[in-house]
Amino acid sequence: MTSELDIFVGNTTLIDEDVYRLWLDGYSVSDAVALRVRSGILEQTGATAAVLQSDTMDHYRTFHMLERLLHAPPKLLHQLIFQIPPSRQALLIERYYAFDEAFVREVLGKKLSKGTKKDLDDISTKTGITLKSCRRQFDNFKRVFKVVEEMRGSLVDNIQQHFLLSDRLARDYAAIVFFANNRFETGKKKLQYLSFGDFAFCAELMIQNWTLGAVDSQVDDMDMDLDKEFLQDLKELKVLVADKDLLDLHKSLVCTALRGKLGVFSEMEANFKNLSRGLVNVAAKLTHNKDVRDLFVDLVEKFVEPCRSDHWPLSDVRLFLNQYSASVHSLDGFRHQALWDRYMGTLHGCLLRLYHD
């Protein structure tokens, strides 16, 4: 008795994107097979359950072998074992390093250590993301952090160079690394309305303006660490609220410019000094690590919540911040204009992003 076999020989590694997604999401082979059956693939292809099981297992074996290369993406490009077109290589890398918004919000600002990793069971239960996927995402954050933490140069450029991520994803990882390094508090109840995108937007502004790299591109860890000298100098801004004449003049300039333009003018006029003290005192306290960590808590408490309680529309917040920042340049007795601009330029953008009217 003879058997006829159809044999196809090829050297291109086949990647099924749907199965890759299931593997990244942490599903076991059996769960992945069940989900594929539910999708109607057997009817679409005419395959048997046994063939589907074998196909899924084969893909999973390939992904497991590729994973060590994905830990150092340039190795994937230069290896010769797997013949994968460049476009597919880019897809494999990008999706491997992609993360879930719900997961990153749980770990953002926390130390990327064994202690945090022990919490992944609880995070998995809370978010509905499989524990295996939580571990992959956490390990990716930690791996990127370890690789770039001692490097000179742009944080985003270093991440792109060593992990071959898209510009957008590299910027997101830069925000994650920056928050982990500076341990910003993001988990408090009053901050839960903020998305990862909100924090990432603020991180990018701070990296551009408040880090050592903002003033010296040759400094080690330039985009990781806040400029300590800048933070110390911010105490000089206290004169804006400590000097009664300066505070009154600042208020007068802002009120004169905004009269008739602001829907909440009377509320702004009544609360100006409290708002100004809040913003300036946040700056003056940034010499202490705890106050750096609580930056977003303080901004929400000292500015966002008071304005929200008075029902300021976002357009009025923008008008106020524009005038509040600019009018300082007309204060003859104030000698720290450049310092003020460096501080408020970033705070202005962050506050608008944090303010959800």
Side-chain angles (χ1 to χ4, degrees), residues 142-342:
K142 187 174 181 179
R143 184 181 309 111
V144 172
F145 184 96
K146 289 293 183 184
V147 168
V148 302
E149 66 175 329
E150 301 295 339
M151 289 183 175
R152 289 187 179 187
S154 161
L155 193 51
V156 173
D157 290 348
N158 287 337
I159 291 170
Q160 282 189 296
Q161 180 182 347
H162 290 272
F163 292 93
L164 309 180
L165 305 181
S166 66
D167 181 71
R168 181 66 267 160
L169 190 54
R171 290 181 184 279
D172 285 344
Y173 267 86
I176 292 165
V177 167
F178 181 71
F179 266 63
N181 186 60
N182 292 286
R183 305 286 301 281
F184 292 110
E185 173 62 58
T186 67
K188 291 282 180 69
K189 186 176 180 180
K190 63 179 59 193
L191 301 180
Q192 290 306 302
Y193 76 98
L194 296 170
S195 68
F196 168 72
D198 294 330
F199 286 117
F201 177 85
C202 295
E204 192 161 345
L205 288 178
M206 285 189 281
I207 289 170
Q208 290 170 354
N209 298 296
W210 287 7
T211 61
L212 288 167
V215 291
D216 186 350
S217 62
Q218 296 305 307
V219 175
D220 288 332
D221 309 336
M222 56 174 282
D223 283 352
M224 295 275 281
D225 297 322
L226 292 169
D227 182 352
K228 293 291 194 293
E229 186 176 339
F230 163 67
L231 298 183
Q232 288 287 340
D233 290 345
L234 287 175
K235 289 187 292 186
E236 302 293 341
L237 300 183
K238 283 211 74 170
V239 68
L240 286 170
V241 293
D243 185 315
K244 185 178 184 302
D245 291 337
L246 272 182
L247 180 58
D248 288 341
L249 180 56
H250 192 189
K251 177 180 177 179
S252 176
L253 289 170
V254 172
C255 290
T256 299
L258 294 180
R259 194 178 304 276
K261 298 178 183 178
L262 216 60
V264 290
F265 180 83
S266 59
E267 291 86 349
M268 182 277 293
E269 187 176 33
N271 209 25
F272 177 90
K273 291 184 179 180
N274 286 334
L275 291 175
S276 189
R277 287 191 187 100
L279 295 178
V280 171
N281 287 335
V282 166
K285 293 195 305 178
L286 291 178
T287 52
H288 306 293
N289 288 337
K290 183 186 182 304
D291 292 307
V292 170
R293 288 199 294 271
D294 287 341
L295 173 64
F296 293 98
V297 177
D298 289 340
L299 292 179
V300 168
E301 286 182 351
K302 305 298 184 186
F303 185 84
V304 173
E305 288 179 346
C307 292
R308 192 185 285 153
S309 68
D310 281 339
H311 308 292
W312 289 39
L314 182 60
S315 56
D316 279 5
V317 174
R318 182 178 287 107
L319 278 173
F320 170 76
L321 287 173
N322 286 343
Q323 195 57 46
Y324 176 77
S325 301
S327 61
V328 166
H329 290 270
S330 299
L331 299 175
D332 291 337
F334 186 64
R335 297 286 178 265
H336 307 285
Q337 310 288 1
L339 181 67
W340 173 255
D341 289 344
R342 187 177 176 190

Side-chain angles (χ1 to χ4, degrees), residues 39-96:
S39 73
I41 194 170
L42 295 182
E43 292 79 11
Q44 295 164 17
T45 62
T48 65
V51 168
L52 186 65
Q53 173 86 13
S54 178
D55 177 70
T56 305
M57 288 181 66
D58 186 49
H59 275 97
Y60 267 50
R61 277 193 295 268
T62 299
F63 299 147
H64 282 303
M65 288 187 287
L66 285 169
E67 188 163 22
R68 64 181 179 82
L69 298 171
L70 288 166
H71 289 171
K75 290 183 179 179
L76 179 63
L77 270 61
H78 300 123
Q79 56 79 38
L80 300 175
I81 299 172
F82 300 98
Q83 301 302 307
I84 304 173
S87 61
R88 304 299 271 180
Q89 290 176 343
L91 179 145
L92 287 170
I93 295 166
E94 192 79 359
R95 293 195 179 176
Y96 187 79

Side-chain angles (χ1 to χ4, degrees), residues 7-34:
I7 299 174
F8 172 77
V9 178
N11 65 350
T12 299
T13 302
L14 299 177
I15 303 293
D16 186 306
E17 293 182 33
D18 293 331
V19 181
Y20 188 48
R21 180 73 266 167
L22 293 170
W23 179 73
L24 290 174
D25 286 344
Y27 291 106
S28 65
V29 171
S30 58
D31 287 340
V33 170

